[in-house]
Amino acid sequence: MLTSLYIKNYALIDELNVQFNNGLTIITGETGAGKSILLGGLSLVLGKRADLSQVKTKDKKCIIEASFDIANYNLKPLFSNLDIDYDVQTIIRREILPSGKSRAFINDTPATLDSLSMLSLHLIDIHSQHQTQQLTENDYQFRVIDALADNKENLEVYAQKRAEYKMLQKSLKALIDSKAELIKEYDYNLFLMNELSEIKLESINLEDLEAQYEQLNNVEVIGEKLASAKGILNMEDQGVIDQLNAIKQELNKISGFGKVYGAIAERVASVHIELNDLLVELDDLEDALSTDPQELERINSQLQILNNLFQKHSVSQIEDLISIKNELESKVSDTEGLDDAIKKKEEEITNLKKELNNIAGQISKKRKTILPILTQKLEGLLSDLGMPNAKFKIELTEGERFLLNGKDNLQFLFMANKGSSFNELKKSASGGELSRIMLAIKSILSEYIQLPSIMFDEIDTGVSGEISNKMGDIMKQMSTRMQVFAITHLPQIAAKGNSHFKVFKIDNNTTTETQLKRLGEDERVVEIAQMLGGMNITESAMAHAKQLLN
């Protein structure tokens, strides 16, 4: 509940500090006295954007501060989400600086206007004739029905499941789109992968393959050169080996004449042995030579394939081709595996859809249970408010789509008079009728849920006599469950208040100021008498005022 309001340097208000109680608080004052200024200041702490033109003295700071007792509002989770310290006595302050900038604080913590707006929804509802238009909106009608039907928990579960359902649908679409894209490339990727797989890249050593090709391609030249080399080594009398043997014999004859000659003789002997070994190896190589045109063709073909693949994929190493093959295998596998992924995702969606349908069914069932009660209560209250022939027809039909609050479609139909037909509220109810319907709905809601403080801003316009008395009774009854403010011009309603404030203007030498004063009992009699008969108060007006107050 709103416990206090402090306003400084705002519009026609120099400084104002007022305390409020629970129950029904009445605010009266002549037209133009400044009731709208009071509401404007309160709207600023509830998140409305500030305007420098609202500041009374431009070179001074404007301050509006409101205190709320929120002990029974269960708002700790909201404060936690907003990252603001929780206090059962919460203070919201707005400041408009001479520069035009504004600042907001919740319990001395800087806050954004979005934070103020989110919090204010749970603190106070300023209700004017203009706001009765929300009655004609489907969303608001659903909120009323669901509040009475106690659907809060079901709607929270439904919202969570619906969000999961939307995400799964999005994921499924992404998979289907991916499949469509991959299918376009699938055949080509499969061809490239098979082309690389057929050559068995892992078993190929390119250097060895190129060496084999050079050997087979040059077998005659190799044989010729090997034979020539052998001839040079082994030619009788003139060959290198025979000549080296002669050298060895000569040196052996002097090897005993000193170590140096012995060492030379040993080295020549070693070379002689090495040349003999080399001759044997050349024999082996010559014997191993063979002409194999088919093998040469096979190796040549394999090298040609490899060279083509190197050019096609712009690489030069076998290892690079193996990496490309592995990547292609992965793409082909992904494409082939998408069908399984899509099928699995579709099964998840089907299962979640069943859950959503079940929860939506529970929500709808509870709504349908409460509709006759809501209709009966509304028609009863409206009869008291001078609309005895008002009738409602509230119809729920299940649709196909998962909407934000279930699958129901709602028709909130109204008939004001006998003989007319049911029609939508916005087409069949006047502004005054909508005000009374809204009052009735708020009254019913207050029986089922903890509503924030509510301020009715002249919703009694155009109402008089016994109806205004009934309207006051409804507000009075509501105030036993919540804090209610009523800005009114009707004495019948003003007399119902637990406390009564008067808004008025005073003229100083150079300025006009708006003031707000709590009225004592005698002052209330005078104020209500003036509301009844004007500024010239008669004895009958005073008597009538006292009668209303009693």
Side-chain angles (χ1 to χ4, degrees), residues 26 28-30 489-491 494-495 500-502 504 517-550:
I26 300 296
T28 59
E30 293 186 16
H489 288 292
L490 297 180
H500 189 156
F501 291 85
K502 181 176 181 177
F504 60 96
K517 179 183 179 182
R518 181 190 292 269
L519 301 181
E521 289 303 315
D522 292 339
E523 291 171 316
R524 288 190 72 185
V525 174
V526 173
E527 174 69 7
I528 292 173
Q530 287 179 338
M531 294 173 74
L532 286 165
M535 295 303 294
N536 296 320
I537 301 174
T538 63
E539 289 185 8
S540 62
M542 290 290 286
H544 192 184
K546 290 177 181 178
Q547 184 181 7
L548 287 175
L549 285 166
N550 289 331

Side-chain angles (χ1 to χ4, degrees), residues 408-423:
D408 290 330
N409 296 311
L410 173 65
Q411 276 199 308
F412 208 95
L413 305 176
F414 175 68
M415 180 174 68
N417 303 297
K418 286 183 178 179
S420 57
S421 58
F422 283 101
N423 209 336

Side-chain angles (χ1 to χ4, degrees), residues 209-335:
L209 197 64
E210 289 174 337
Q212 290 177 48
Y213 173 79
E214 291 298 328
Q215 177 181 320
L216 288 171
N217 194 43
N218 298 284
V219 65
E220 293 179 359
V221 174
I222 294 171
E224 180 185 326
K225 298 304 177 184
L226 286 174
S228 176
K230 283 170 58 182
I232 293 171
L233 285 174
N234 201 30
M235 189 180 299
E236 189 175 352
D237 295 333
Q238 295 180 359
V240 173
I241 292 177
D242 281 350
Q243 291 186 29
L244 188 63
N245 188 47
I247 294 170
K248 183 178 74 170
Q249 290 176 359
E250 292 300 321
L251 290 176
N252 282 339
K253 293 175 182 178
I254 64 172
S255 62
F257 298 156
K259 289 183 179 181
V260 63
Y261 305 115
I264 288 293
E266 287 178 5
R267 288 172 63 188
V268 171
S270 176
V271 171
H272 184 262
I273 293 170
E274 179 66 22
L275 285 177
N276 277 307
D277 288 343
L278 183 59
L279 181 61
V280 171
E281 192 168 342
L282 290 174
D283 274 335
D284 291 342
L285 287 172
E286 190 176 27
D287 291 341
L289 278 177
S290 63
T291 302
D292 191 343
Q294 291 182 340
E295 179 67 7
L296 176 62
E297 180 61 28
R298 184 189 70 78
I299 293 174
N300 182 51
S301 175
Q302 195 169 28
L303 285 171
Q304 188 61 47
I305 290 171
L306 282 172
N307 286 326
N308 289 339
L309 290 173
F310 287 148
Q311 290 181 6
K312 179 183 288 189
H313 297 285
S314 301
V315 295
S316 60
Q317 302 292 328
I318 293 286
E319 291 76 13
D320 296 330
L321 289 178
I322 292 173
S323 296
I324 292 170
K325 180 177 75 76
N326 292 338
E327 184 178 342
L328 288 167
E329 286 175 346
S330 178
K331 286 183 178 180
V332 169
S333 176
D334 287 345
T335 305

